[in-house]
Amino acid sequence: MALKIKVLSHGRTILARKGEMLAEALRRAGIPLNLFCSQRGLCGKCGVEIVRGKQPAPGEREKFLWKQKSLPRNQRLSCLFEIQSDLEIGVPSSSTLQEVPILPALPRSSVFFNPAVKKYVVDIAPPQISAPESLLELVCENLGVRHLKISPHLMRELGPRLEHAKYKVAVIVHRDKEILDVRRASRAPRLSGLPLDVGTTTLVVELVDLETGKAVDTRADLNGQASRGADVMSRITYALSGREKAEELRALVLDSLNRLISQILRKNRIPLSSVYEIVVSANTAMNHLLLGVPVHSLAAAPYHAVFSRLPYFSAQETGFAAHPEARVYMAPNIKSFVGGDITSGLLASRLDKREGNFLFIDLGTNGEIVLKTARSLIATSTAAGPAFEGMNISCGMPALPGAIYKVEDIARKLKVSTIASEPARGVCGTGLIDLIAIFLERGELSPGGAIQNREKRLRVARNISLTQEDVRQVQLACAAIKTGIRLMLRRNGLKEADLGGVCIAGAFGNYLNIRNSMRIGLLPSLEEKKIVFVGNSSLAGARQLLISLKERERAESLIQKARYRALASDPLFQDHFVKALELKSWP
Amino acid sequence: MALKIKVLSHGRTILARKGEMLAEALRRAGIPLNLFCSQRGLCGKCGVEIVRGKQPAPGEREKFLWKQKSLPRNQRLSCLFEIQSDLEIGVPSSSTLQEVPILPALPRSSVFFNPAVKKYVVDIAPPQISAPESLLELVCENLGVRHLKISPHLMRELGPRLEHAKYKVAVIVHRDKEILDVRRASRAPRLSGLPLDVGTTTLVVELVDLETGKAVDTRADLNGQASRGADVMSRITYALSGREKAEELRALVLDSLNRLISQILRKNRIPLSSVYEIVVSANTAMNHLLLGVPVHSLAAAPYHAVFSRLPYFSAQETGFAAHPEARVYMAPNIKSFVGGDITSGLLASRLDKREGNFLFIDLGTNGEIVLKTARSLIATSTAAGPAFEGMNISCGMPALPGAIYKVEDIARKLKVSTIASEPARGVCGTGLIDLIAIFLERGELSPGGAIQNREKRLRVARNISLTQEDVRQVQLACAAIKTGIRLMLRRNGLKEADLGGVCIAGAFGNYLNIRNSMRIGLLPSLEEKKIVFVGNSSLAGARQLLISLKERERAESLIQKARYRALASDPLFQDHFVKALELKSWP
C-alpha cells in the first residue's frame, strides 16, 4: 500500500512505498532536492525536516555527517532515511538544488550546480582481518562505487595517507570515475576551479569556489604571445617559421596564464594544490598553440583543426599551475574554424534555448556568426581583421586607459569619452564606430567611404584623426560582418525581420552604440531591444562548463548539431561583399 | 516480407529483412561469424561466399579492404553487404570466430580471440574545405566511433603522421576507446603482446601474436629479487627495511623482466615498439613490489593489499620495455591474500565452469587453495613454506638441471631421475615427495616422521641424503596443505568423496607422482583420473586475459564472487594441523 508524504514546503503530497528511501521518493516526484552525491550518503546536502511520522534511528553514517558537516539536528538526511509511515516534511531551501547565476545581463541565465570535481569526506572502517578487501576497494565501497581510476603515483601513496589520516579522509573524485587526491579529513582542501578565457589579445582567469560554484575573483592580462603578432594569422605564421617558434608561443601563453593563476590564488590565499579543475575557452588557433599541437593544418587549405573535442588531460601533462592531477577540460570547438570560445558563448547566451531565429555575433578579429533557427544551428566565421580591436588604424589602440571608446556629436562638436577618463591617446573599436557614423551623418564622409575634405583627414582630437586608409579598414571589417550576416540569413531563407534578436559578444560589451552600429550597417536595423549584449560570454561559458557536468553534455550536443558554412566559397560572397562596403544602414 | 538466407556451410536457413546487413542477420541467428571490428567495415574478417542471389556492387570501403587484405574476390564482406533478395551463402571457416587453445592438457580449454588491442587499417578521405571536421574527428569517423581518447603526445603527432602517410594509416586502438598509435598503413606493425608470469622465484615471459592470439615463444629466468630473500615474507621484510630497499626490489624484478622481454623480442625479430599490451599475473606481494606500491600493509595484521583491481596503466608509467603507450593489465587479486596468479589459474583451468565440487591447488611457497561448489567460490592460502621449491632442505634445490625430480623403489633400490639427465646435485619438490613416500613404505620412516635408523639419515645418492630436519620441513609443508584442504571441505559441509576433481597448478607439472602424494597425505585419496595437472596456469591465464576481453570480464566477476576464508583464525586449525603432521593417506 502506498504511503503519503506531505511536502509542506512545496504544497504537494507525493506517494511512496514503505521501505523506500525518502530521497528517492522526492526525486521521483520532481522535488528539486540537492542530490550532489547521487544518493550515496556522502555529501550531507539532502536534509529535510520531519514534521510528523515515524523516524528510524539515525545510523553511523548519518551521525558522522551531522558531526562532520555541523548539520542542524532537526534535519534528517533523506537519502539515508527509510520511509516507514505516512510523513509530513519540509524541504529547506538549503537542501534544494542551487542555481548559480552566469550572465547577470540575461534573465534566467543560471545553471544547476553539479561540478565534475567533488569532495567526499568519509570515515572508513579500518581493514579487518576477517574482511580482506584491499584498501582501494575499501575506498570505493565507502564512496558507493564499484571501481575508480587512480594514478600510479596516488596508488603508491594510498596506504600511507589512509593510515596517517586514521582512515578519516577527504577523497577528491572526478566525475565519480577517478580519484584525484586523498587528504586528511581534518585538513581537507576547499576545492577551487579556474575558468580561463584564452583570447588572442587578452587572457582572463576567474577563480571559482568549486563547493558553491560562485565566482570569487577575476584577473586579466595581455596574452604574452601578442609580441609575436597581433592577430591569429600572424601567430600561426610565426609558429610555422620553425619548430622552436611554436614551442615559444606555447611557453608565452602558458607563462602568462600561470602568472595570472598564481596572482589570483595568492591574493585569495588559496594554495595551488587546491585547484582541481581548469576549463579553457579559446579559439581554435589558441587552443592548439596552448597544447603544443601543430597549427600548420589551420594555415593552409583545406584548413583543418587537429581536434575539436579532447579527452581530459591533467594539469601536469598540459603544464598548468594547479594540483598536478587537476583535470583540464577544453570547451570543444565547432568544427575546424569556430572555437571553444564560441561554444562557451552559445552556452552562456543560451542561444540554443531561445525561441525563434536568433543570431550570435562575436565581434573579434575573426567575426564569428552563429544563426540559430527552429531546426538548425549554423556557424560561420569572417575575416573582419583587427580594426575593431584598434589595430591597423593610424590612431587605433586596444580598449585600455586613454582610449576613446565613445563619441557624441553635440551641436556639431565631438564629445569624446575615454577609458578611465584619462587624456585621449587613441581610439578603440567602439569609438571608431561612433566616429564613422557621426562623419557619415554630417556628410563629411560619403556612403562610399570617401573623406569629403581636401586634407583627406577627419580630425577627432588633438593629434588624433582618421585617415582615408583608416576608414577603408573600418569599411572592410564592417563589410565582412555584414556579408556574413546577410548570407547566413539568405541561405536559410530568412530576412532580418525574421530575427527574434541578436546576441553581441566580445570585449565591446555595453560600450557599443547600437544606433551607430546600425547606421554604418554593421548590425541589421532591428528594434534596439532585440540587441542583447552578452559581454565576455567566453569566460561566462567556461565557468558554466566548470560548475555543471550537464552543461558539458549540452556543449557536446551543441557541437554535434552545429553545421559550418564556409562563406568564402559561397558564389554570392564577392557580390555581397562589394555591395556591403557601402556605409549605410540595412537593407 | 522476410527474406530467406540459406547458409549452406551450416546447413541452416535464417530469415532477414530486406535492406538489412548480412552480418547482422548472421549474428542474430547465432552463426559464429568473426565480427572483430563490431561490424564497422574495418577488419575484413567477415567474408562470405554468395552462391545465389542479388549482389549489390561493392563500395569503396569493400574494394579497399579487398586490396589491403588480399581477400578472395569470390567473398563479400557481410557487414558491408545489404540484403536485397533471398540468398544462398557459404561461411568459410576463415570467417568464423577463431578459438585459441589455452591449456593443451585440458579438453575444450580455448577462448574466442577478441583482444583489447586492435589494428584498423583505414584510407581516410583527406579533409575537405567544405567538410571542416577536425583530424581527430575524421579518424574517429573512419573507425565508426564517436570519440576516442588520445595522449597529448600523440595529439601533437597526429597531423604530421596523417599527412606523411597520405591518410592511409593503421590506427592501433585499445578497447575501441583509446588511440595508442597511428602508423603508415604500408608499414603497419604486426601487433604483439606479452603475458608475464611474475613468480616469487621464477619469471616467465611469453610472446603472443596479437593478430592471431597464438603463443610464439616463451622464455624464463630467475626473479632478480631472489638474492634478497627466498620467499615472499623475506622479500617484504627486506622492502620494509628502508624506502630505497623497496625501490631496489622494484628495479630488480623490472630489470629481470625487461631483459627477458628484450631477449625474446630480439630472437623473434619483433621491435619493442610493436608490443602494445602486457598482462601481468603475479601474487599480491609481487604485483605490489612491481608497481612500487608499499607492502607494509601486507606484512602485519590486519594484512591488507592496497589494490586488488587496477586501472590500465601505460608501459611508460610502469617502466616496462614496450611501446610507451602500451597498456598494462594486472590480473586482479582475489581479496588481499590470493593474487592475480591464482585468478589466472582459475580462468585457465576453467574452475568456475566445472560441474560439481572442484578444488584448485597451487603448490607454491604459499599454498593457495580454492574450492568451487555449486553455489560459491572460496579461496584460502596456507603458509606451506618453500620446502616444495627445494628451499630449507639440506640437499634441496629448485627444479633445475641436476635436480632429482623422480625416485622409484625397484627391488629396494632407489632409481633416481634427474632433470636434463645430469649428475644428481640435489632434490627438488617432486623428488622429495617420492622419497618420503618410499621411505614410509619401507618402514625407514615412521608415520610420525621419525627416521628409523641410528644415523638419523636417509641416504639417497652419493652425497645426497635427507636429515631428520628435512623430513620435518616436508611434514610441515604437507600438513599446511592438508589442513587447508580438510578445513575448506569441512566448513562447506563436504567430504573428499564429494569432490569431482582437483586441479594441481604450479611448477610441479606432470612430475608430481599422484600415488606418492596421496600416500603421504598431501592430496586426498581420490581416483587418479580425478587429479588434473594444469601446469603453469598463471601464465596460461595471463595469455587468456591478453587475447580475450571476455576473459577479463570473467576475471572481474570471478573476483567479485570469490570469498576468502582465513584459515589461521579458524578455531579448528591447530587441532587439524597437529593431526595432519602424521604422514599417512586420507582420511
Side-chain angles (χ1 to χ4, degrees):
Chain A
M1 201 194 67
L3 298 174
K4 285 196 187 100
I5 317 284
K6 200 164 175 180
V7 189
L8 304 168
S9 50
H10 289 67
R12 289 180 53 189
T13 297
I14 65 173
L15 298 179
R17 286 184 308 279
K18 188 170 172 175
E20 188 178 18
M21 288 299 172
L22 183 51
E24 184 53 27
L26 293 170
R27 190 191 63 75
R28 210 182 44 231
I31 306 282
L33 194 66
N34 191 345
L35 300 172
F36 191 78
C37 70
S38 311
Q39 297 163 255
R40 286 181 281 139
L42 295 169
C43 68
K45 293 186 195 289
C46 63
V48 300
E49 287 159 31
I50 310 291
V51 178
R52 227 161 56 92
K54 221 183 266 178
Q55 294 205 33
E60 284 310 311
R61 183 116 273 282
E62 192 165 358
K63 285 184 191 159
F64 173 74
L65 283 166
W66 273 346
K67 201 176 140 198
Q68 181 68 33
K69 307 253 170 182
S70 316
L71 300 177
R73 285 304 168 104
N74 67 337
Q75 286 187 13
R76 296 296 303 270
L77 294 177
S78 57
C79 74
L80 297 170
F81 186 101
E82 210 179 280
I83 301 170
Q84 296 296 345
S85 70
D86 288 346
L87 294 173
E88 284 185 26
I89 66 169
V91 180
S93 62
S94 59
S95 295
T96 52
L97 272 176
Q98 281 173 272
E99 281 196 61
V100 182
I102 295 295
L103 276 175
L106 300 178
R108 279 176 309 132
S109 161
S110 57
V111 296
F112 286 124
F113 180 55
N114 180 32
V117 180
K118 290 178 179 172
K119 175 175 78 185
Y120 300 126
V121 176
V122 283
D123 185 6
I124 299 176
Q128 298 296 319
I129 205 164
S130 55
E133 268 74 32
S134 67
L135 298 180
L136 184 56
E137 279 175 297
L138 277 181
V139 171
C140 292
E141 230 167 61
N142 272 273
L143 297 182
V145 290
R146 214 168 121 186
H147 194 52
L148 287 167
K149 284 188 75 174
I150 185 169
S151 72
H153 172 75
L154 191 53
M155 185 81 249
R156 291 172 194 134
E157 290 274 314
L158 188 62
R161 292 211 193 168
L162 286 173
E163 273 166 41
H164 188 242
K166 301 202 173 69
Y167 291 86
K168 276 194 176 55
V169 286
V171 186
I172 290 118
V173 179
H174 193 251
R175 291 177 308 144
D176 283 344
K177 288 185 182 170
E178 290 184 87
I179 305 184
L180 300 186
D181 207 355
V182 175
R183 306 268 283 263
R184 228 170 153 157
S186 57
R187 294 195 185 163
R190 178 107 189 157
L191 307 186
S192 293
L194 304 170
L196 309 184
D197 169 35
V198 181
T200 312
T201 306
T202 312
L203 306 175
V204 191
V205 171
E206 201 172 63
L207 174 63
V208 168
D209 181 333
L210 271 187
E211 309 204 5
T212 61
K214 304 273 164 58
V216 176
D217 202 356
T218 318
R219 216 172 166 102
D221 198 357
L222 284 179
N223 184 336
Q225 294 178 341
S227 56
R228 303 298 185 278
D231 56 41
V232 166
M233 266 322 296
S234 56
R235 300 280 168 84
I236 291 180
T237 309
Y238 187 79
L240 295 182
S241 65
R243 189 157 184 108
E244 75 290 355
K245 303 290 184 189
E247 292 291 341
E248 184 193 342
L249 286 180
R250 182 174 182 220
L252 283 168
V253 64
L254 209 48
D255 287 353
S256 305
L257 285 168
N258 285 341
R259 203 173 319 115
L260 277 175
I261 293 173
S262 301
Q263 288 168 354
I264 204 169
L265 292 176
R266 205 173 320 121
K267 188 179 151 213
N268 292 277
R269 296 167 183 276
I270 308 258
L272 207 90
S273 61
S274 298
V275 174
Y276 287 99
E277 201 170 33
I278 290 174
V279 173
V280 176
S281 194
N283 64 46
T284 315
M286 283 303 124
N287 52 37
H288 280 56
L289 287 171
L290 182 59
L291 290 177
V293 174
V295 288
H296 63 274
S297 66
L298 291 170
Y303 306 103
H304 272 249
V306 178
F307 60 85
S308 58
R309 209 185 134 182
L310 277 186
Y312 287 95
F313 293 148
S314 71
Q316 198 163 35
E317 284 171 321
T318 43
F320 280 111
H323 189 286
E325 288 289 328
R327 290 296 181 261
V328 177
Y329 180 78
M330 285 274 162
N333 300 325
I334 301 176
K335 314 292 171 195
S336 287
F337 314 107
V338 178
D341 53 345
I342 301 302
T343 309
S344 291
L346 297 181
L347 287 178
S349 61
R350 304 164 49 85
L351 195 78
D352 53 333
K353 297 195 173 171
R354 289 174 184 271
E355 303 246 320
N357 306 303
F358 233 93
L359 270 183
F360 174 94
I361 306 177
D362 187 344
L363 290 171
T365 309
N366 248 17
E368 275 102 354
I369 301 169
V370 183
L371 172 64
K372 181 247 150 204
T373 71
R375 284 174 311 280
S376 58
L377 196 66
I378 309 124
T380 194
S381 56
T382 71
F388 291 142
E389 296 182 34
M391 303 289 170
N392 293 356
I393 301 289
S394 62
C395 60
M397 68 177 286
L400 295 173
I404 297 174
Y405 70 93
K406 182 176 164 187
V407 188
E408 292 158 288
D409 191 14
I410 296 174
R412 287 197 73 88
K413 288 202 82 170
L414 295 181
K415 185 189 166 217
V416 303
S417 307
T418 61
I419 294 180
S421 302
E422 286 193 8
R425 289 169 43 216
V427 186
C428 69
T430 51
L432 269 179
I433 290 167
D434 286 349
L435 285 170
I436 299 289
I438 289 168
F439 289 125
L440 261 181
E441 205 56 52
R442 285 187 182 174
E444 295 181 37
L445 200 56
S446 78
I451 295 178
Q452 304 292 311
N453 60 26
R454 285 228 187 85
E455 57 165 351
K456 298 288 174 197
R457 261 179 188 279
L458 297 165
R459 299 201 171 272
V460 179
R462 180 196 291 267
N463 294 328
I464 297 178
S465 57
L466 296 180
T467 65
Q468 184 63 60
E469 183 51 28
D470 296 338
V471 176
R472 295 296 178 216
Q473 292 290 342
V474 176
Q475 274 180 289
L476 288 169
C478 212
I481 302 287
K482 189 174 182 179
T483 309
I485 300 174
R486 266 203 196 278
L487 282 178
M488 285 289 266
L489 292 175
R490 176 153 175 178
R491 291 301 187 192
N492 290 283
L494 297 174
K495 297 215 171 63
E496 52 271 33
D498 300 325
L499 283 174
V502 180
C503 290
I504 308 282
F508 277 8
N510 297 318
Y511 297 139
L512 186 72
N513 184 305
I514 298 178
R515 217 132 21 105
N516 288 340
S517 305
M518 291 178 180
R519 176 66 187 85
I520 67 170
L522 176 64
L523 296 179
S525 303
L526 299 171
E527 295 165 71
E528 274 198 41
K529 66 169 186 191
K530 285 193 173 178
I531 310 286
V532 189
F533 291 113
V534 293
N536 188 347
S537 60
S538 164
L539 181 68
R543 188 197 321 138
Q544 199 161 336
L545 288 165
L546 178 70
I547 64 173
S548 166
L549 281 173
K550 196 100 193 156
E551 294 297 302
R552 294 188 198 174
E553 281 172 33
R554 226 179 111 210
E556 310 285 342
S557 82
L558 253 172
I559 66 154
Q560 287 296 324
K561 194 178 149 195
R563 285 182 297 120
Y564 180 80
R565 174 171 274 279
L567 284 185
S569 57
D570 192 307
L572 290 181
F573 184 81
Q574 287 307 333
D575 185 41
H576 271 66
F577 186 76
V578 172
K579 279 187 199 151
L581 285 170
E582 194 162 355
L583 292 164
K584 63 170 192 180
S585 57
W586 290 48
Chain B
M1 202 192 67
L3 297 174
K4 284 197 188 99
I5 317 283
K6 201 164 173 180
V7 188
L8 304 168
S9 51
H10 290 67
R12 289 181 53 189
T13 296
I14 65 173
L15 298 178
R17 285 185 309 279
K18 190 172 172 174
E20 188 178 17
M21 287 300 173
L22 182 52
E24 184 54 27
L26 292 170
R27 191 191 63 73
R28 209 181 45 230
I31 305 282
L33 195 65
N34 192 345
L35 300 171
F36 191 78
C37 71
S38 311
Q39 297 164 253
R40 285 179 282 139
L42 295 170
C43 68
K45 292 186 196 290
C46 63
V48 299
E49 286 159 31
I50 310 291
V51 179
R52 228 159 57 91
K54 220 184 269 178
Q55 294 204 33
E60 283 311 310
R61 185 116 272 283
E62 192 165 359
K63 285 184 192 160
F64 173 72
L65 283 166
W66 274 346
K67 201 176 142 198
Q68 183 67 35
K69 307 253 171 184
S70 316
L71 300 176
R73 285 303 168 101
N74 67 337
Q75 288 187 13
R76 295 298 303 271
L77 294 177
S78 58
C79 74
L80 298 171
F81 186 102
E82 212 179 279
I83 301 170
Q84 296 297 343
S85 69
D86 288 347
L87 294 173
E88 282 182 29
I89 66 168
V91 180
S93 61
S94 59
S95 295
T96 52
L97 272 176
Q98 281 174 271
E99 280 196 62
V100 182
I102 294 297
L103 277 175
L106 299 178
R108 280 177 307 133
S109 162
S110 57
V111 296
F112 287 124
F113 180 55
N114 181 30
V117 181
K118 291 178 179 171
K119 175 176 78 185
Y120 300 126
V121 175
V122 283
D123 185 6
I124 300 176
Q128 298 296 320
I129 205 163
S130 55
E133 270 74 32
S134 68
L135 298 181
L136 184 56
E137 279 174 296
L138 277 182
V139 171
C140 293
E141 230 168 60
N142 272 274
L143 297 183
V145 291
R146 214 168 120 186
H147 195 52
L148 287 167
K149 286 188 74 175
I150 186 169
S151 72
H153 172 75
L154 190 54
M155 184 83 249
R156 290 174 195 134
E157 289 275 315
L158 188 61
R161 292 211 192 168
L162 286 173
E163 272 166 43
H164 188 242
K166 299 203 174 69
Y167 291 88
K168 276 194 179 51
V169 285
V171 186
I172 290 121
V173 178
H174 194 251
R175 291 177 306 144
D176 283 344
K177 288 185 182 171
E178 290 184 87
I179 304 183
L180 301 186
D181 206 356
V182 175
R183 306 268 283 264
R184 229 170 151 158
S186 56
R187 294 196 184 161
R190 177 107 191 159
L191 307 187
S192 294
L194 303 170
L196 309 184
D197 169 34
V198 181
T200 312
T201 307
T202 312
L203 308 175
V204 191
V205 171
E206 201 171 62
L207 173 63
V208 168
D209 181 332
L210 271 186
E211 310 204 5
T212 61
K214 304 272 163 58
V216 175
D217 202 355
T218 317
R219 216 173 166 103
D221 199 357
L222 284 178
N223 185 337
Q225 294 178 342
S227 56
R228 305 297 186 278
D231 56 40
V232 166
M233 265 322 296
S234 56
R235 301 277 169 84
I236 291 181
T237 310
Y238 186 79
L240 296 182
S241 65
R243 192 162 179 101
E244 75 290 356
K245 303 290 185 192
E247 293 290 342
E248 184 193 343
L249 286 181
R250 183 175 182 221
L252 283 168
V253 64
L254 210 47
D255 287 352
S256 304
L257 286 168
N258 285 340
R259 204 174 318 116
L260 277 175
I261 293 173
S262 300
Q263 287 167 355
I264 203 170
L265 292 176
R266 206 173 320 120
K267 188 180 151 213
N268 292 278
R269 296 166 182 277
I270 307 257
L272 207 90
S273 61
S274 297
V275 174
Y276 287 99
E277 200 170 33
I278 289 173
V279 173
V280 176
S281 193
N283 65 47
T284 315
M286 282 303 124
N287 54 36
H288 280 55
L289 287 171
L290 182 60
L291 289 177
V293 173
V295 288
H296 62 275
S297 67
L298 290 171
Y303 305 103
H304 271 249
V306 178
F307 61 86
S308 58
R309 207 184 136 183
L310 278 186
Y312 288 95
F313 293 149
S314 71
Q316 197 161 36
E317 284 172 322
T318 43
F320 280 112
H323 189 286
E325 289 289 329
R327 290 296 182 261
V328 178
Y329 179 78
M330 285 274 162
N333 300 325
I334 300 176
K335 313 294 170 196
S336 287
F337 314 107
V338 178
D341 51 346
I342 302 302
T343 310
S344 290
L346 298 180
L347 287 179
S349 61
R350 304 165 48 86
L351 196 77
D352 54 330
K353 297 195 174 172
R354 288 174 185 271
E355 302 248 319
N357 306 303
F358 233 93
L359 271 183
F360 175 94
I361 306 177
D362 187 344
L363 290 171
T365 309
N366 248 17
E368 276 103 352
I369 300 168
V370 184
L371 173 64
K372 181 247 150 205
T373 70
R375 284 174 312 280
S376 58
L377 196 66
I378 310 122
T380 193
S381 57
T382 71
F388 291 142
E389 297 183 32
M391 303 288 170
N392 293 356
I393 302 290
S394 63
C395 60
M397 67 178 286
L400 295 174
I404 296 174
Y405 71 93
K406 181 176 163 188
V407 188
E408 291 158 289
D409 190 13
I410 296 174
R412 288 196 73 86
K413 290 203 81 168
L414 296 180
K415 186 190 166 217
V416 303
S417 306
T418 60
I419 292 180
S421 302
E422 287 195 8
R425 289 167 44 214
V427 186
C428 69
T430 51
L432 269 179
I433 290 167
D434 286 349
L435 284 170
I436 300 289
I438 289 168
F439 290 124
L440 261 180
E441 205 55 52
R442 284 185 181 174
E444 294 180 39
L445 201 58
S446 78
I451 295 179
Q452 304 292 310
N453 62 25
R454 286 229 184 84
E455 57 168 352
K456 299 288 174 199
R457 259 179 191 279
L458 298 165
R459 298 202 172 271
V460 179
R462 180 197 291 267
N463 294 328
I464 298 177
S465 56
L466 297 180
T467 66
Q468 184 63 61
E469 181 52 27
D470 295 339
V471 176
R472 296 294 177 221
Q473 291 290 341
V474 177
Q475 274 181 291
L476 288 169
C478 211
I481 302 288
K482 189 174 182 177
T483 309
I485 299 174
R486 265 202 197 280
L487 282 177
M488 285 290 267
L489 292 176
R490 176 156 175 174
R491 291 303 187 193
N492 289 283
L494 298 175
K495 296 214 172 64
E496 52 271 34
D498 299 325
L499 284 174
V502 181
C503 290
I504 309 283
F508 277 9
N510 297 318
Y511 298 137
L512 186 72
N513 183 306
I514 299 179
R515 218 131 21 105
N516 289 340
S517 305
M518 289 179 181
R519 176 66 187 85
I520 67 170
L522 176 65
L523 296 180
S525 303
L526 299 171
E527 295 165 71
E528 275 197 43
K529 66 170 187 188
K530 284 193 174 178
I531 310 288
V532 188
F533 291 114
V534 293
N536 189 347
S537 60
S538 165
L539 181 68
R543 186 196 323 137
Q544 200 160 336
L545 289 164
L546 177 70
I547 65 172
S548 166
L549 281 172
K550 196 98 193 158
E551 294 298 301
R552 295 188 197 174
E553 281 172 32
R554 227 179 110 210
E556 310 285 342
S557 82
L558 253 172
I559 67 154
Q560 287 295 323
K561 194 179 148 193
R563 285 183 296 120
Y564 181 81
R565 173 170 276 277
L567 284 185
S569 57
D570 192 308
L572 290 180
F573 183 81
Q574 287 308 332
D575 186 40
H576 271 65
F577 186 76
V578 171
K579 278 187 201 153
L581 285 169
E582 194 162 356
L583 292 163
K584 63 169 193 182
S585 56
W586 291 46

